[in-house]
Amino acid sequence: MLIMFLVVMGIFSFAQLGVDLFPKSDPAQAFVRVRLPGSSPEEMVSQVVLPLEESIASVSGIDELKAYVFEGEAMISPTFVLERDINEATEDVREKVSGAMRNLPPNVLPPVVQKADPDSDPVITLAISGSRTVREITEIADKQIRRALETVDGVGGVDLSGGRARQINLMMDLNKLNAYNLTAQDVQTAVVAENIEAPGGRIVRGPTEVGVRTLGRVVGVPEFGNIIIKNIRGAPIRVRDVGYAEDGMAERRSFSYFNGKPAVTLDIRRQIGVNTVNVVESVLKKLESVKPTLPPGVRVDVVKQQATYIKNSVKALEEHLVLGSLLASFIVWLFIRDLRTVLISSIAIPTSIITTFTVMKAMDMTLNSMTLLGLTLAVGIVIDDAIIVLENIHRYIEEKDMPPIEAAIHATREISLAVVATTISLVIIFVPIAFMTGYARRYLNQFGWTMAMAIMVSMLVAFTLTPSLSSRLLRRPKRKEETPEGQPVKRAERHRNTFLDRIYVATLDWSLHHRWVITTIAVLVFASTFVVNRYVGRDWMPQEDQAELGVGLELPEGSSIQETERVTTELASKIEKIPGVISVMSSTSLGFVNRVNMSNITVLLAPEGERPSIMEMGRQVRAAARDYAYTRPRLTFPNVLGGRDTYAPIRGQLLGPDLRAMVDMARQIMIEMQKEPALVDVKANLNLNDPEYQVVIDRPLASDLGVRVSDIAGAVRLLMSGEDQLSTFKEGSEQYPVTMRLLPGQRDDPAALSRLLVPSARLGLIRLDSIAKLERGLGPARIDRFNRQFAVSLYGNVAPGHALGEAASATQAIVDRVGLPPGYNMVFSGQVKILEETTTNMILAIALASIFMYMVLAAQFESLVHPFIILLTLPLSIPFALISLTATGRTLNLFSALGVLLLLGIVKKNGILQIDYMNRLRAGGWKLHEAILEANRVRLRPILMTTFSIIAGLIPTAVGIGSGAQQRSAIAVTIIGGQTLCLVLTLLVVPVGYSLLESAKALFSRGRAPAPAEAPAMGD
């Protein structure tokens, strides 16, 4: 009933578990978006970013402080250590930003602090299209769909791309403005003053109160033309006299195409720390309720969603779990050939797995790749304890002819020490996870708890349910066999003299007579670790096939939106023709980087089994983009960390005080990186050569004429930019921005700039070219900062056939070869940084696990020497694990390193069974040689059964079928290869080591034995 109670609890807990790809591993990251309209990137840095950085840097727990600065806008992103709570971190940042406002310019817009990562991959992307105009589609996407989705719980932001929002444009004729002696500021002042609605107080008369309101708003777009700008000699000059009001759209600064057709796209991003599947399901549910309210002819397509891959990945793991359980149970039947025995041992699998769901629910875990992988790996391990107990009971019935009930009691008591030792020493390897930091701990914590709980429950089952069922279901065999002489064969002899037993005992007997041969082989195997390790690459995590690719383009500086659109759609059409590509979406650059010369192509692929591998598809896409090398195409692959550039495989930050000097250094490094065979898709953020017209003011002359620089800058921006909102136009409950700019023909003519009129305190109005000249120049389009230093980022992907560690080492060697002046350095962030942290953490975990296992075994065996013999098998398993990785073309990554950690806990189980029974026979008076042979013969079958049950349980995972299999197969291959290849050697090394140790102890005891006392003389 105890086991049934735990199972019932687990069943109900399973129904309430959430689903996700991985455990929550979002860093505590805040984002501060601040705007200063009209300011250059350099001005944004000096006046806005530096004061904010100084204030934010004092918040505790910051790991990285990044800033991205553009024209009139900056994004500051402090990333905290993973242990920091996101809500507390955001509040601390918001407090510091508020305190820094007094140091910012007065015209800076209020900063926005948020938790949603604007550079993260969207969890779902929608494409809205139809037969209506782009303005109507944009209005529908923005007002009906976007607003509805923003109310969904867990949605952090909804970005709209490819649309053109409704906007009231006041188109000014420069010639007419000059003819009437009007400036841009005059028009601005008139529009702001004449389009206003304000409360005017109240009138109280006895028992009644009536409000007063001034109705001064423009009620129709044509009325903007009637606004009086000035009265000159009694004649009013209206807006329509110098231009016209247009009910139009915002200037086109983005585009979006889905399968070659124009569309408006919505990228929905989740809040940091929120479950992806829950957000996607809630968004799709909300979308279904919105669709019936849309006008006819409007179509909403779900381009992609992360939940599909997550669900497929979890489904594949669940299939592996069930199939692994069946294979592990089959191993038991293969050795004992009794269905009742299979039932007794196999019942440990569902009871242990289902019970673990209760702990997962209590600890707020989800069904993700790590927890389900832990359960899948536990399948072959949880059955071990039941197999060991069951095999011993079976042996007692066969060899000692005991009744099942009596055999269950005595056999369980005999094996209990070994079972407890194997279980506790395996669970103890997860304790070092508590000492880990960063992503390694986030990923392994839930994995460790899941496996540890399943293994502990399996021990409980082995000591309670397995003996109970064995005593009732097992039967004493009744059949008899005869020898050639006609004498009956004892069941004990038949059980003892199998072909496998005879081969193993003969081999072990030879090894005990040639102990130094086995010792030499063991030493050579361990020494091979250092040789094999050179051929194993290092990665953070295997590249997973999510049936998706991204292509980022960056055209030469100065390219227009029309040219970017032409090139992008042309390349997208070529990519769409590649076999295996099912759809393509092209749009302007995503996230917070919104430049017209940058674009992105999302390539959606057919399911994995219906096309070549993701790497081969990447090669074909690169081949298609080869003719567009001037656009600097760069492939991006979805990764578990999310983001495009933030967690790129190679992301080096070149830091220093002089940005222009760093650009030259970065260019040299990038050229060398492009020659490196381990690197592909190399790119550097070189954004200092954006062509521009610069208004160079003659300050002394302007001062003499009473012209203020702010008036010049304001006039230029108002008429040329067209982005500043003068006022609003209210229609119903909606408000639309009102902007002003020159007529298109005049605005695109550089000579028109020189004819602008600016106010002068002495002369009234003067032309701009009388106090300033127009020059062509180059300016920065974007400035990056990293940890309060100027930064130039270098990106790259790892070439097929190479590993991340190799690519990072090659990049560092290039930087060293190029040479950086004093005050400049390069640091890695992204995946390389995480790889270094994970390597350190895993080495620490393996070292601590070995120490903890020794301590547990020493306490169990009450000996400091016998645990040493058991742990001799640990270093012997590592070279076999590395050989398995090399033979299968895999790298040493987080999953394979976790496989090595688990392997250390698994391989010593065999040694515990051997040492325990050898000690038991020695205590019973057996001689050393005979005790070793007999003990290892008896333990051979449970050792083989447990080993092959673990291997069988991992075969579905190792084969790598289903979504996410590439990552998970690494851990299974590591354990299977290490366990299989190490098995034969450990079956000999442990008894030989035991023999050497016991012989040394006997020799040492004889050397210390006191000499016999002389007999006293007679008569004394």
Side-chain angles (χ1 to χ4, degrees):
M1 285 298 106
L2 171 63
I3 303 299
M4 183 60 67
F5 168 76
L6 296 176
V7 170
V8 171
M9 289 281 290
I11 292 173
F12 280 91
S13 298
F14 175 78
Q16 301 176 23
L17 289 174
V19 178
D20 212 339
L21 183 58
F22 281 103
K24 293 179 182 178
S25 58
D26 297 316
Q29 196 168 12
F31 299 88
V32 183
R33 187 187 296 268
V34 59
R35 296 186 61 202
L36 181 61
S39 60
S40 65
E42 295 103 323
E43 189 178 1
M44 283 294 299
V45 170
S46 60
Q47 295 194 35
V48 179
V49 174
L50 291 180
L52 286 176
E53 279 186 345
E54 183 176 1
S55 181
I56 295 172
S58 61
V59 178
S60 63
I62 290 181
D63 184 36
E64 294 179 351
L65 182 59
K66 295 168 286 191
Y68 310 95
V69 188
F70 309 94
E71 181 182 339
E73 185 179 22
M75 170 72 74
I76 303 174
S77 171
T79 302
F80 296 83
V81 293
L82 283 173
E83 292 73 23
R84 192 78 153 84
D85 181 74
I86 177 61
N87 296 312
E88 293 179 3
T90 305
E91 285 304 315
D92 289 348
V93 171
R94 188 174 285 115
E95 179 183 337
K96 293 296 182 181
V97 170
S98 299
M101 286 299 294
R102 64 180 181 273
N103 299 322
L104 302 183
N107 55 335
V108 68
L109 300 181
V112 177
V113 182
Q114 57 182 3
K115 290 186 291 186
D117 183 353
D119 190 42
S120 64
D121 291 326
V123 295
I124 183 170
T125 299
L126 307 176
I128 298 93
S129 57
S131 57
R132 296 170 178 261
T133 64
V134 64
R135 191 178 98 168
E136 291 176 315
I137 295 293
T138 305
E139 284 287 296
I140 294 168
D142 184 33
K143 300 297 191 300
Q144 293 184 245
I145 302 176
R146 181 182 188 174
R147 290 182 181 179
L149 298 183
E150 285 177 333
T151 64
V152 175
D153 184 33
V155 171
V158 181
D159 296 332
L160 187 146
S161 179
R164 297 184 68 184
R166 183 184 179 186
Q167 181 173 291
I168 311 304
N169 300 315
L170 303 182
M171 313 300 289
M172 297 290 105
D173 187 329
L174 182 59
N175 297 325
K176 292 181 179 180
L177 284 173
N178 291 351
Y180 285 110
N181 276 332
L182 296 176
T183 65
Q185 287 89 338
D186 292 333
V187 181
Q188 179 188 25
T189 303
V191 172
V192 172
E194 296 295 325
N195 184 32
I196 189 171
E197 181 176 319
R202 67 191 65 84
I203 298 174
V204 179
R205 299 186 65 181
T208 62
E209 179 177 296
V210 180
V212 178
R213 187 157 54 100
T214 303
L215 300 179
R217 275 196 175 275
V218 173
V219 295
V221 175
E223 287 191 24
F224 279 102
N226 296 327
I227 291 177
I228 298 174
I229 304 173
K230 270 187 179 181
N231 280 285
I232 300 178
R233 298 173 185 174
I237 308 300
R238 293 180 169 84
V239 170
R240 65 169 181 261
D241 296 328
V242 293
Y244 63 91
E246 173 193 66
D247 188 357
M249 299 178 287
E251 186 180 6
R252 188 162 184 258
R253 303 295 288 174
S254 68
F255 64 85
S256 180
Y257 287 83
F258 180 56
N259 289 338
K261 298 180 180 179
V264 175
T265 58
L266 294 177
D267 289 325
I268 296 98
R269 292 179 170 79
R270 63 180 176 86
Q271 294 178 358
I272 292 178
V274 178
N275 184 279
T276 302
V277 175
N278 290 346
V279 173
V280 172
E281 290 178 345
S282 300
V283 167
L284 293 177
K285 184 178 179 181
K286 174 65 75 171
L287 186 62
E288 289 303 315
S289 65
V290 172
K291 282 183 178 179
T293 66
L294 300 179
V298 176
R299 177 176 176 178
V300 181
D301 293 305
V302 178
V303 179
K304 61 174 183 174
Q305 53 165 308
Q306 289 186 3
T308 302
Y309 173 76
I310 295 173
K311 290 178 179 178
N312 291 341
S313 181
V314 170
K315 181 182 177 182
L317 269 170
E318 291 172 345
E319 292 173 354
H320 295 170
L321 180 62
V322 174
L323 187 56
S325 303
L326 296 176
L327 290 175
S329 303
F330 175 73
I331 293 296
V332 179
W333 178 85
L334 203 61
F335 276 88
I336 299 183
R337 305 293 180 90
D338 183 5
L339 291 178
R340 288 173 297 180
T341 304
V342 174
L343 174 65
I344 295 169
S345 59
S346 300
I347 204 169
I349 298 176
T351 52
S352 303
I353 300 300
I354 294 173
T355 302
T356 307
F357 294 141
T358 305
V359 179
M360 293 172 60
K361 181 67 175 67
M363 299 185 67
D364 196 27
M365 297 182 187
T366 58
L367 290 173
N368 55 64
S369 292
M370 298 309 295
T371 53
L372 284 173
L373 180 61
L375 294 176
T376 305
L377 297 178
V379 162
I381 299 174
V382 297
I383 200 176
D384 279 4
D385 293 342
I387 288 175
I388 294 170
V389 172
L390 180 62
E391 196 279 336
N392 211 40
I393 295 172
H394 197 272
R395 185 175 62 85
Y396 263 68
I397 296 174
E398 287 281 342
E399 292 188 9
K400 301 186 179 183
D401 201 19
M402 279 190 181
I405 295 179
E406 191 176 337
I409 296 172
H410 289 284
T412 304
R413 182 184 298 126
E414 179 190 87
I415 204 71
S416 60
L417 175 64
V419 172
V420 171
T422 55
T423 302
I424 300 300
S425 60
L426 181 55
V427 170
I428 203 70
I429 68 172
F430 300 112
V431 173
I433 294 175
F435 297 91
M436 289 183 175
T437 57
Y439 283 93
R441 180 174 181 178
R442 284 292 178 97
Y443 280 84
L444 301 189
N445 190 47
Q446 292 192 14
F447 175 88
W449 275 106
T450 305
M451 279 205 73
M453 186 60 193
I455 293 169
M456 292 298 292
V457 174
S458 74
M459 182 176 69
L460 176 64
V461 171
F463 284 155
T464 56
L465 192 59
T466 301
S468 177
L469 292 176
S470 299
S471 65
R472 287 165 174 77
L473 297 181
L474 294 184
R475 297 289 182 267
R476 297 163 72 180
K478 298 179 180 180
R479 65 184 183 278
K480 292 185 179 181
E481 296 177 7
E482 293 184 350
T483 62
E485 292 78 15
Q487 298 297 322
V489 178
K490 293 182 180 180
R491 283 191 294 271
E493 292 297 325
R494 184 178 65 249
H495 182 78
R496 182 179 292 132
N497 293 319
T498 64
F499 174 75
L500 195 59
D501 287 339
R502 292 195 296 272
I503 294 293
Y504 174 56
V505 170
T507 305
L508 180 57
D509 185 55
W510 183 90
S511 301
L512 291 174
H513 287 95
H514 301 83
R515 295 182 297 187
W516 292 109
V517 174
I518 301 299
T519 304
T520 303
I521 293 174
V523 171
L524 291 176
V525 168
F526 173 68
S528 68
T529 304
F530 305 99
V531 178
V532 178
N533 185 53
R534 299 177 185 175
Y535 300 96
V536 180
R538 290 193 308 133
D539 263 324
W540 146 243
M541 197 169 282
Q543 178 57 56
E544 194 45 70
D545 190 340
Q546 296 189 20
E548 180 184 336
L549 288 173
V551 184
L553 304 180
E554 185 173 358
L555 275 68
E557 286 80 356
S559 299
S560 65
I561 185 71
Q562 290 79 12
E563 176 63 12
T564 304
E565 179 183 27
R566 184 192 66 79
V567 173
T568 305
T569 52
E570 190 176 293
L571 177 57
S573 64
K574 285 190 174 183
I575 294 175
E576 197 171 7
K577 298 175 183 176
I578 297 176
V581 175
I582 57 175
S583 62
V584 173
M585 185 183 73
S586 56
S587 61
T588 45
S589 56
L590 305 176
F592 58 86
V593 181
N594 190 15
R595 297 176 58 200
V596 296
N597 69 319
M598 297 177 66
S599 62
N600 186 77
I601 301 174
T602 301
V603 184
L604 303 178
L605 308 175
E608 190 173 352
E610 302 174 12
R611 55 166 171 80
S613 68
I614 190 75
M615 289 300 175
E616 173 59 23
M617 294 301 298
R619 188 194 65 77
Q620 294 184 35
V621 171
R622 286 192 187 96
R626 193 170 292 129
D627 295 336
Y628 302 87
Y630 67 95
T631 65
R632 291 176 276 184
R634 175 172 172 265
L635 256 66
T636 57
F637 298 88
N639 65 76
V640 297
L641 299 172
R644 284 165 290 278
D645 289 341
T646 304
Y647 294 104
I650 297 294
R651 188 190 185 195
Q653 302 282 359
L654 191 60
L655 308 178
D658 188 344
L659 190 59
R660 297 193 178 276
M662 285 195 297
V663 167
D664 294 333
M665 299 176 205
R667 188 173 287 109
Q668 296 179 44
I669 295 172
M670 182 181 68
I671 293 172
E672 295 298 321
M673 289 175 66
Q674 290 172 339
K675 301 175 184 177
E676 173 58 44
L679 296 167
V680 291
D681 307 324
V682 176
K683 170 194 168 186
N685 279 347
L686 308 175
N687 302 301
L688 296 185
N689 298 319
D690 206 28
E692 60 185 15
Y693 280 102
Q694 299 172 344
V695 179
V696 183
I697 302 171
D698 186 339
R699 285 184 176 272
L701 181 58
S703 178
D704 290 341
L705 296 177
V707 179
R708 293 180 298 183
V709 174
S710 61
D711 290 335
I712 299 174
V716 172
R717 178 165 180 82
L718 280 171
L719 293 178
M720 300 299 294
S721 170
E723 295 178 355
D724 289 353
Q725 180 176 311
L726 307 183
S727 184
T728 58
F729 170 66
K730 185 178 179 181
E731 187 175 80
S733 60
E734 299 291 341
Q735 290 195 106
Y736 301 94
V738 178
T739 65
M740 176 178 65
R741 60 176 179 263
L742 289 177
L743 295 172
Q746 296 174 351
R747 185 187 179 207
D748 297 334
D749 181 11
L753 266 175
S754 62
R755 295 189 286 120
L756 291 182
L757 293 181
V758 293
S760 167
R762 293 191 177 183
L763 302 179
L765 295 176
I766 62 173
R767 283 175 48 131
L768 180 62
D769 57 3
S770 63
I771 55 169
K773 58 181 179 179
L774 206 60
E775 295 181 353
R776 292 203 62 159
L778 300 174
R782 166 182 170 181
I783 296 176
D784 292 352
R785 288 176 62 81
F786 184 84
N787 288 344
R788 304 188 67 182
Q789 297 185 73
F790 288 111
V792 175
S793 299
L794 295 158
Y795 302 99
N797 285 329
V798 181
H802 299 269
L804 179 61
E806 179 187 355
S809 299
T811 304
Q812 186 61 56
I814 290 171
V815 174
D816 295 339
R817 191 163 61 246
V818 171
L820 300 179
Y824 296 85
N825 68 307
M826 194 191 77
V827 297
F828 284 108
S829 61
Q831 291 189 29
V832 175
K833 180 181 178 181
I834 297 174
L835 171 63
E836 294 170 352
E837 294 175 351
T838 304
T839 302
T840 304
N841 278 295
M842 293 307 298
I843 292 174
L844 172 67
I846 291 173
L848 284 177
S850 302
I851 296 171
F852 292 160
M853 282 190 290
Y854 177 82
M855 295 167 66
V856 169
L857 294 176
Q860 290 285 336
F861 286 99
E862 298 182 353
S863 169
L864 296 176
V865 182
H866 289 154
F868 178 75
I869 301 174
I870 295 171
L871 296 182
L872 280 177
T873 56
L874 303 190
L876 297 181
S877 64
I878 294 178
F880 292 122
L882 297 180
I883 290 172
S884 303
L885 294 174
T886 306
T888 55
R890 289 176 169 84
T891 58
L892 187 60
N893 50 63
L894 176 66
F895 284 95
S896 50
L898 180 58
V900 172
L901 179 64
L902 279 176
L903 187 61
L904 299 182
I906 294 172
V907 296
K908 54 101 181 72
K909 291 168 68 77
N910 301 342
I912 292 174
L913 293 175
Q914 293 168 292
I915 295 288
D916 174 66
Y917 202 54
M918 286 189 285
N919 285 343
R920 202 172 278 276
L921 293 182
R922 290 278 287 158
W926 285 58
K927 292 183 179 180
L928 177 62
H929 189 79
E930 288 74 13
I932 293 175
L933 291 177
E934 176 63 13
N936 284 277
R937 183 200 64 78
V938 169
R939 291 293 183 244
L940 176 63
R941 187 162 69 162
I943 286 174
L944 293 178
M945 289 174 66
T946 56
T947 300
F948 287 123
S949 66
I950 291 174
I951 293 172
L954 291 176
I955 286 176
T957 307
V959 171
I961 299 175
S963 299
Q966 184 65 29
Q967 294 172 343
R968 301 187 295 267
S969 63
I971 187 172
V973 167
T974 304
I975 296 175
I976 290 176
Q979 181 84 321
T980 306
L981 299 175
C982 189
L983 174 64
V984 176
L985 194 55
T986 52
L987 284 174
L988 301 177
V989 168
V990 172
V992 166
Y994 185 85
S995 173
L996 287 170
L997 179 66
E998 293 299 317
S999 299
K1001 285 171 61 179
L1003 184 63
F1004 183 69
S1005 299
R1006 286 198 301 270
R1008 296 186 58 183
E1014 294 184 6
M1018 294 297 293
D1020 286 355

